Amino acid sequence: MTKNIMIVGVGGQGSLLASKLLGQILLSAGYDVKVSEVHGMSQRGGSVVTYVRFGDKVYSPIIDKGEADYIVSFELLEAARYVEYLKPQGHIVVNTQQIDPMPVITGAAEYPENLVEKMKAANVQLDAFDALAVANEAGSSKAVNIALLGRLSKHFEFTDEQWQAALEKCVPPKFLELNKKAFELGRNQ
Amino acid sequence: MKQLMLGNTAFARGLYEAGCLVASSYPGTPSTEITEDAAKFDDIYCEWAPNEKVAMEVAFGAAMAGKRSFCGMKHVGLNVAADPLYTASYTGVNAGMVIAVADDPGMHSSQNEQDSRHHAIASKVPMLEPSDSQETLDFVKKAYEISEEFDTPVIVKMCTRVSHCQSIVQTGERTEAVKPYVKDIGKYVMMPANAKKRHPFVEERTKKLIEYAETSDINRIEEGSGDIGIITSSTSYLYAKEVFGDKASVLKLGMVNPLPVKLILDFASKVNKLYVIEELDPIIENHCKALGLDVIGKDKFPIIGEFSQNLIADKLEIERTAGLKLNEQLPMRPPAMCSGCPHRGIFYILSKNKITVLGDIGCYTLGAVAPLNAMHMTLCMGGSVSSIHGFNKALGEESQNNTVAVIGDSTFMHSGMTGLANIAYNGSNSTVIILDNSITGMTGHQQNPTTGYNIKGDPAGKIDLEALCKAMGFNRVRVVDPYDLKTSEAAIKEELAADEPSVIISRRPCVLLKYVKTNPPLKVDNDKCRGCKACMKLGCPSISFRDGKAHIDNTLCTGCGVCKQLCHFDALN
C-alpha cells in the first residue's frame, strides 16, 4: 500500500531539505520511495509542491487529488490550497505563518480569514502551530522545515535514533545542532 | 549501493559509469543538474557552453576524436542545436555521443510545450526514453553502446517528472574505452558529394535500428490479467501502472525512435482493446494507425499538458477516491521576482515611463506580471535583441525613443550577441539593456562566459561586456546600478533620446548569490507612513499593506533600499 506525503509552501522556504530527510529515512527503512520536486521558474516565490511516496512498489512520481495521507505545509494559505489532495482521513501539519501572495500585495485579492477553523470544518485533521516561533527558539528562522518535520514525525513509528541518523546524513555538520534542536522542539512540543 | 537519486543525478552517474570523458551543455530547466552533477566527477571534463549549438558541436568534436561525449539541454535548446544534430546524424560518430533533452509537459518552467520526439524522427537519430532514475542510469549506458554499434548520436529524452524525481538507484563501476582518432574526409566533411553518400547510410541504419527495437529488452511487455493492452512510455507508463496495476497488458517502449513494427503488431494481436497513452503529440499512436491498428489515443487523452493517474482514470471512467473539499476562494500565488532582486528597479522605471519592453528568457521575464506589467514580448533565447531591431525598422520614430530590449547576461552570451551585431551592422536606433546579474539565475546559478568562473567554480576566461559592445561598433555603452533608481532612470531616458543605438548594462549580482552581502531589513515608521502605497508599486514580496500602513516582512527584506527611494514621507528606513 503506497503512502503519500505532500510538502507544500512558498518557493525558497526550504522544502527540498525536508523532502531529502523524509526520502532518506524511508529509504533506510527499506521502502520503495519516490520524491518529486519543483525547480526553475515556479520556485521564485510561487506555490511549490514536493511529493513523497513510499510503499512496496511506487509507480507514479506525483500525488493526485484525494491521495495524500499527510500534507506538511510551510504556510497557512498553501495548506488550504491543497486540501482537495487530502484523503478523507488525511492529516495536515501546518505552520500558521502567513506570507502574502502577489495578488494580496497588489490589492487584487485579500488573504482569506480563519483558514484554520475553515479547514477543521472541512473535516481536515489539522495540527496547526507556529513553526517559525519554534525555529527561532531553536536558533534560526531557516529551521522551519525541520521543526515541521519534527511535528510530522509523531505520525510515524520511526525511533528518535532513526530520525537523528537521517538528519546527520542530510544536514551539513555546522547546521546539525540547530536542526536537531528544531526537530526535537517540533516533535515534543 | 542503493541510493535515492534525482533522475538528472542518475543521468550524470550513467555518464560516469559509461566512461564519458567530455561534457558540454547549456543550462535549462529541467535538464540542468545532469551536467552540474557530472562536473562533480573529476574523470569527466565538464563545461557550460555559451549555448546548446556550441555544446553539441563540442560534444561532436570529442566523439569524433574518440572520447565518449555528452551534451545536455532542455527541449527548446534542441532547436538551437538542431543544425549540428541533423548533420551529425549523417556523419555518425567515432566514440559514443549522447545527447540529453529534457521536455517540460505542463510548462513548469518553459515558453512552449514542444515534443522533442519530432526532432529525433526528423534527424533520424535514435531516442531512448527512461521513466525513472534507475532506467535513466541504465539507458545512458545503453545509449553509448547503441551510439557506437550503429554509428550515430543517441538522444536520451528526459522530462520534468523523470529529471526532478528521486527514486532508488543501484550504482555500478566506471569503465572507460577510448578509440583512436582517424582522419576520414568522406565521413566527416559534409559537402554535397560526401553527404549524398552518407544519406543512404542513415536510411540503412534506421532499418537496423528498427530490427534492434523489435528484440532489445529496452522495449518490454508486461502481461496483465485482462484483455486490455496499453502501449506507452516514460511517465505515462507510470501513471498507467498506477491505475491498472497488473490488470492490463503493457508494452513499455524504452526506445521511442525508431519504433518497432512486429513487436507492436504481436502485442496488439493478443489484446481486445488497445490504448496508446503518451503525453503531448500522438507519435506512437500515429505509428500504430499507420500499421493499420485500431488504437484509442488522443481521442481520449489530451494533447496538452501533463498526465497523472487521476487524469487517465477519469478519461477511462474509472472511479478514484475524491479528496476533501474546502469551499473557499483562495488567491493564487504566482512566482515573483525575489525580494532584493536587482531587476526590479529597472522594471519599475520602464513601467513608470510606459516604455515598450521586448523581453527575453530568464528570471526577468517576471517583469511581465502585475504590478509592474513591464514586458510586452518574450519569444526565445536572444529574441529581444533581434526583435527590437525589426520593431524599430518597422515603426521608426514611432517606437525607437520609447522601446527597449532587455536581456540577461547569460542569455546575451547565448544568442543576444548575434542580434546586437545585426543592430550594429544594419543600423537601427535601438536601446538594449543587458540585465547583468553576474550569473545564470533562473536555472539555479550557473556560471557563464561573463562571470569569470567555470562550472567547477574555478577562475576562467571572462568576457568584458562593455568592451564587446564597443568592439561591435556601439559608441554609447554605459553601466548603471539598478538599486539607484534616479541615475538608472536618467540613463534610460538619455539613451532612448539619443539618435544612435545604445547599450545600457544594468549591473548588480543576483541577491541570492552566496557572496552577496545583504543589508539589514528596512522598517516602516508608522508615524510617518501615510498609506499612499507608492512603495507597493514595486511588487516586492517583502512589502504588504496592513491596517492602512505599509508592512515589511523582516524575514524576506534584504535591505536593497529601492522602496525607500519611492517613499515621499521618509517612512522607510
Side-chain angles (χ1 to χ4, degrees), chain B residues 302-315:
Chain B
I303 200 165
I304 296 167
E306 270 191 312
F307 287 1
S308 71
Q309 49 269 37
N310 278 5
L311 179 137
I312 288 170
D314 282 352
K315 300 297 174 191

Side-chain angles (χ1 to χ4, degrees), chain B residues 204-468:
Chain B
E204 279 306 308
R205 183 179 71 200
T206 298
K207 285 181 195 160
K208 287 178 189 159
L209 282 161
I210 293 170
E211 279 304 309
Y212 176 85
E214 304 287 7
T215 53
S216 166
D217 62 1
I218 202 160
N219 296 325
R220 68 168 189 263
I221 291 172
E222 296 175 8
E223 284 189 26
S225 54
D227 58 359
I228 291 175
I230 298 169
I231 305 178
T232 186
S233 71
S234 185
T235 45
S236 299
Y237 160 77
L238 302 172
Y239 303 136
K241 288 295 279 189
E242 192 76 32
V243 173
F244 285 95
D246 298 330
K247 293 196 186 86
S249 293
V250 174
L251 170 55
K252 184 194 178 295
L253 298 170
M255 188 178 208
V256 290
N257 188 59
L259 289 165
V261 173
K262 284 186 251 132
L263 183 66
I264 288 175
L265 290 173
D266 284 353
F267 179 75
S269 72
K270 288 172 189 152
V271 296
N272 278 332
K273 200 167 201 178
L274 189 58
Y275 293 103
V276 173
I277 305 182
E278 58 188 323
E279 282 178 336
L280 301 178
D281 294 341
I283 288 172
I284 302 170
E285 178 183 349
N286 288 347
H287 175 76
C288 290
K289 284 181 172 166
L291 296 176
L293 292 173
D294 185 17
V295 297
I296 302 160
K298 292 296 164 188
D299 33 347
K300 281 271 184 207
F301 307 107
I303 200 165
I304 296 167
E306 270 191 312
F307 287 1
S308 71
Q309 49 269 37
N310 278 5
L311 179 137
I312 288 170
D314 282 352
K315 300 297 174 191
L316 299 176
E317 291 166 20
I318 297 167
E319 208 169 319
R320 307 280 288 174
T321 312
L324 293 175
K325 284 270 174 296
L326 186 73
N327 290 318
E328 179 81 19
Q329 274 293 65
L330 301 175
M332 300 294 285
R333 190 185 299 274
M337 280 188 261
C338 306
S339 291
C341 175
H343 302 323
R344 181 174 283 104
I346 295 294
F347 283 102
Y348 171 77
I349 294 163
L350 297 173
S351 176
K352 179 185 158 199
N353 289 285
K354 299 187 169 55
I355 291 166
T356 305
V357 181
L358 307 191
D360 226 293
I361 307 288
C363 292
Y364 48 89
T365 314
L366 293 168
V369 303
L372 295 165
N373 303 311
M375 190 171 288
H376 309 96
M377 182 215 83
T378 298
L379 185 66
C380 62
M381 294 289 285
S384 63
V385 186
S386 320
S387 296
I388 193 176
H389 176 78
F391 196 74
N392 285 339
K393 284 288 180 190
L395 293 178
E397 288 184 0
E398 197 185 318
S399 66
Q400 66 195 21
N401 295 328
N402 58 23
T403 306
V404 298
V406 296
I407 183 166
D409 47 319
S410 186
T411 310
F412 180 74
M413 293 312 300
H414 178 284
S415 48
M417 284 192 293
T418 41
L420 201 70
N422 193 41
I423 293 174
Y425 170 45
N426 285 311
S428 62
N429 183 6
S430 299
T431 303
V432 174
I433 303 177
I434 301 175
L435 300 167
D436 178 8
N437 65 348
S438 309
I439 203 73
T440 313
M442 176 61 79
T443 44
H445 288 174
Q446 289 73 35
Q447 304 296 341
N448 69 56
T450 69
T451 65
Y453 295 93
N454 66 19
I455 192 168
K456 289 189 181 263
D458 295 327
K462 179 174 164 64
I463 289 178
D464 181 331
L465 284 174
E466 294 92 306
L468 176 67

Side-chain angles (χ1 to χ4, degrees), chain B residues 485 522-523 535 538 543 552 559-573:
Chain B
L485 292 183
L522 298 192
K523 286 200 178 77
C535 56
L538 287 169
I543 310 174
I552 291 181
C560 76
V562 170
C563 58
K564 182 180 159 74
Q565 298 168 55
L566 300 183
C567 183
H568 303 298
F569 308 104
D570 194 29
L572 302 167
N573 281 293

Side-chain angles (χ1 to χ4, degrees), chain A residues 2 9-11 16 19-20 22-24 27 31-47 49 51 53 57-67 75 77-78 80-90 97-107 109-113 115 118-119 122-125 132 141, chain B residues 2-4 6 29 33 108-110 131-133 160-162 164-168 222 235 237-239 241-242 245-246 306-311 320-338 344 362-363 365-366 369-371 441-445 512 533 536 539-546 553 555-556:
Chain A
T2 305
V10 179
L16 290 186
S19 61
K20 191 175 167 189
L22 274 176
Q24 186 57 47
L27 176 73
Y31 290 107
D32 189 21
V33 188
K34 281 192 174 161
V35 179
S36 290
E37 308 163 352
V38 179
H39 300 218
M41 170 75 93
S42 39
Q43 256 187 316
R44 299 278 173 267
S47 174
V49 190
Y51 306 107
R53 310 192 72 214
K57 173 71 190 164
V58 178
Y59 286 106
S60 174
I62 64 168
I63 297 169
D64 224 326
K65 287 177 184 169
E67 290 187 334
E75 199 272 348
L77 172 60
E78 294 311 306
R81 192 184 308 286
Y82 293 98
V83 162
E84 60 183 333
Y85 282 77
L86 210 58
K87 274 182 185 166
Q89 298 304 315
Q97 187 185 355
Q98 298 186 9
I99 300 174
D100 286 351
M102 201 47 68
V104 172
I105 289 174
T106 61
E110 287 192 6
Y111 197 104
E113 291 183 336
L115 284 174
K118 284 171 183 165
M119 282 191 273
N123 289 326
V124 173
Q125 312 216 32
L132 184 61
S141 60
Chain B
K2 279 189 172 178
Q3 298 171 51
L4 205 51
L6 208 58
T29 313
E33 300 83 2
H108 298 271
S109 200
S110 301
S131 59
D132 62 22
S133 298
T160 300
R161 297 298 182 190
V162 178
H164 288 161
C165 176
Q166 298 178 50
S167 60
I168 296 172
E222 296 175 8
T235 45
Y237 160 77
L238 302 172
Y239 303 136
K241 288 295 279 189
E242 192 76 32
D246 298 330
E306 270 191 312
F307 287 1
S308 71
Q309 49 269 37
N310 278 5
L311 179 137
R320 307 280 288 174
T321 312
L324 293 175
K325 284 270 174 296
L326 186 73
N327 290 318
E328 179 81 19
Q329 274 293 65
L330 301 175
M332 300 294 285
R333 190 185 299 274
M337 280 188 261
C338 306
R344 181 174 283 104
C363 292
T365 314
L366 293 168
V369 303
M442 176 61 79
T443 44
H445 288 174
L512 300 181
K533 296 190 177 178
M536 302 199 61
C540 176
S542 299
I543 310 174
S544 55
F545 200 67
R546 301 223 167 126
D553 182 331
T555 64
L556 292 175

